[in-house]
Structures are given as structure tokens and as C-alpha cells.
């Protein structure tokens, strides 16, 4: 049993798929959960809030772009004013804009780096003040297997996810003495909206490379994230935990 009772958990990209699964995984111990998303509408976030509410969790949703430094600074400031603390930050918001370099625009590059990497910086910087004051906290950043392997057509995405790995290790070193653990989870090929749009032949090619013989589920990622934030993982910081069915070893 972990001590999440009445703690404050923030999950970016928490409206659906991996982020929703992470939020639901934390729900068992009734923390207060704040999800941040940037969907065009509130349909998915409302579904997540409803599921959390059915489990008796006080949950809130904000539709705000994580790539805006000022907006994140304000949001986390408001969360700290309202709840007095932030115990867990899961930096999960992310997008793809896949193109070969020859066709990739500066906007494709900037948007992916802005959300996937700058967004992690923005939220971490805004949340860490509270964690330092509390002398306790957990941050888990969602990277990707391709941040390590590379992937043709995803140079912007892979650069952002590799950047997350370096950022994670650096911040882990900076705040280890303050009782804050900072880790990353690098998912493999997970069955979500992000991968549903890929052509069948691309999915088939990935499948052939996965020793465990199946796509990952959002719950596979949520399990690892939750464990990293538990007392059981208290001696783990600065690590990249791969959850990929053996796709990359
Ligand atoms: P998804 O597209 O289903 O959900 C993405 C979430 O991020 C949504 O809640 C969306 O609103 C939010 N988001 C997007 N842009 C945002 C912005 N500007 N500001 C705030 N929120 C924003 O994606 P998913 O498959 O659940 O992926 C979640 C994370 O896992 C991402 O970081 C992704 O890169 C990573 N990941 C996914 C896979 C996979 O196979 N699905 C593999 C490796 C890593």
C-alpha cells in the first residue's frame, strides 16, 4: 500500500489512451488527480473524469497547451494555491508529425519539440518548486523506444524523446538530494490512437520485431509508471525503464 491518500497527481496528456490508463492506475488510492490535455473537445477528458469519479476520485481537467511556458507556470501555480502541493508529475503529453527530413517543415519540427520536450521542461520547472518544499516527489517522463533506436520519418519525434532521456537523468541528479525521484518510461509499440493511424504493413513490420509477440497495452505502461512512483521504487532515480515487449534490449 502506497501513501497516495489525498496526494496530488498531475498527468499531462491524461485525457485518453496511455495518460488515461496512468490516471486510472493511480485512482485506487484516492489521490486528487489533475489531467492536462489539448484535445479539440472535452469528450475524452470527460470520459476519464467520469471513470475517475466512479472510483471515488476527485479529478479535474484542464485543456491547456503544455508547450506554453507561461500557461504551465500559471496552471501549476493555481494547483499549488488550491491544493497546497504536487506529489506526482507524469509528463505524458506528446504528438507525432511524421515526415522524412526532406519533407519536414520547420513547423513540424518546432511543434513536436515544443510539445514533447519543451512541454516536459515547462511542467517540470513549474512543479518542482512544490516538490522541493515538500522534500518529496516523483516525476516520470514518458519517452519512447525510438528515442534510443531512431526511426526513419520520425527525426523530430525521436529527437524529442531522446532529449527527454537526457533531461530526466540531469534533473534526477539535480534534485536527488531533495527527496525527489525522476525517471522515464520508454514505451515500445502501444495500441493507442497515436499508432492506430499507421498503415497495416508498418504495424505488421513492428509486430515481427516484438519477441513477446503482441502490441503493448496502455495498462502495461501505467503499471511501470505507478510502480516507479511507489515506495517500492524509492531507490530508483535517473533511470529509463523500457516497456516494449523486447522490441529493444
Ligand atoms: P494519444 O495521442 O492517444 O494521447 C496524447 C495525449 O497528449 C492526449 O491527451 C492529448 O490531448 C495530449 N496532448 C497532445 N498535445 C498536447 C499539448 N500541446 N498540450 C497538452 N496535452 C497535449 O497518445 P498516446 O499513444 O497515449 O501517447 C502518450 C505518450 O506516450 C506520448 O508522449 C507518446 O509520445 C508516448 N508514446 C506512445 C507510444 C505508442 O505506441 N502509443 C509509444 C512510445 C511513446
Amino acid at each position: 500500500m502506497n501513501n497516495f491518500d489525498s496526494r496530488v497527481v498531475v498527468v499531462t496528456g491524461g485525457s485518453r489512451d496511455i495518460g488515461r490508463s496512468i490516471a486510472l492506475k493511480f485512482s485506487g488510492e484516492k489521490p486528487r488527480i489533475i489531467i492536462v490535455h489539448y484535445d479539440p473537445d472535452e469528450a475524452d477528458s470527460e470520459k476519464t473524469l467520469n471513470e475517475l469519479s466512479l472510483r471515488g476520485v476527485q479529478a479535474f481537467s484542464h485543456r491547456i497547451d503544455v508547450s506554453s511556458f507561461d500557461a504551465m507556470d500559471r496552471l501549476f501555480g493555481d494547483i499549488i494555491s488550491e491544493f497546497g502541493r504536487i506529489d506526482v508529475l507524469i509528463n505524458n503529453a506528446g504528438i507525432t508529425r511524421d515526415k522524412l527530413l526532406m519533407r519536414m517543415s520547420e513547423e513540424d519540427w518546432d511543434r513536436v519539440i515544443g510539445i514533447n520536450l519543451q512541454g516536459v521542461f515547462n511542467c517540470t520547472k513549474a512543479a518542482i518548486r512544490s516538490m522541493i518544499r515538500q522534500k518529496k516527489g516523483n516525476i516520470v517522463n514518458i519517452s519512447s523506444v525510438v528515442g534510443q533506436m531512431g526511426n526513419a520519418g520520425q527525426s523530430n519525434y525521436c529527437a524529442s524523446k531522446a532529449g527527454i532521456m537526457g533531461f530526466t537523468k540531469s534533473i534526477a541528479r539535480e534534485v536527488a538530494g531533495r527527496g525527489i525521484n525522476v525517471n522515464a518510461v520508454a514505451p515500445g509499440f502501444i495500441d493507442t490512437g497515436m499508432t492506430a493511424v499507421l498503415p497495416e504493413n508498418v504495424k505488421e513490420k513492428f509486430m515481427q520485431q516484438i519477441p513477446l509477440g503482441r502490441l503493448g497495452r496502455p495498462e502495461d505502461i501505467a503499471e511501470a509508471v505507478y510502480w516507479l512512483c511507489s515506495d517500492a521504487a524509492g531507490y530508483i532515480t535517473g533511470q529509463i525503464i523500457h516497456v516494449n515487449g523486447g522490441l529493444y534490449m
Side-chain angles (χ1 to χ4, degrees), residues 97-109:
R97 280 215 188 159
D98 298 352
K99 271 177 205 143
L100 294 173
L101 182 64
M102 293 295 280
R103 297 207 184 99
M104 188 177 289
S105 67
E106 187 182 9
E107 214 261 328
D108 292 329
W109 173 268

Side-chain angles (χ1 to χ4, degrees), residues 12 65-73 76 89-93 112-129 139-142 160 163-168 170-171 174 182:
T12 72
D65 185 349
V66 291
S67 73
S68 164
F69 181 86
D70 291 342
M72 284 304 111
D73 193 50
F76 281 84
L89 168 65
I90 312 298
N91 282 310
N92 165 75
V112 169
I113 299 291
I115 294 172
N116 296 10
L117 185 56
Q118 167 98 33
V120 173
F121 164 77
N122 292 345
C123 296
T124 305
K125 190 167 162 65
I128 211 130
R129 287 170 290 179
I139 300 175
V140 179
N141 301 320
I142 306 300
S160 73
I164 285 178
M165 295 182 188
F167 180 79
T168 300
S170 304
I171 305 305
E174 286 186 22
V182 187

Side-chain angles (χ1 to χ4, degrees), residues 72-97:
M72 284 304 111
D73 193 50
R74 272 195 302 277
L75 173 69
F76 281 84
D78 289 349
I79 294 170
I80 294 163
S81 309
E82 173 87 18
F83 301 112
R85 54 191 300 124
I86 296 171
D87 298 283
V88 173
L89 168 65
I90 312 298
N91 282 310
N92 165 75
I95 62 161
T96 51
R97 280 215 188 159

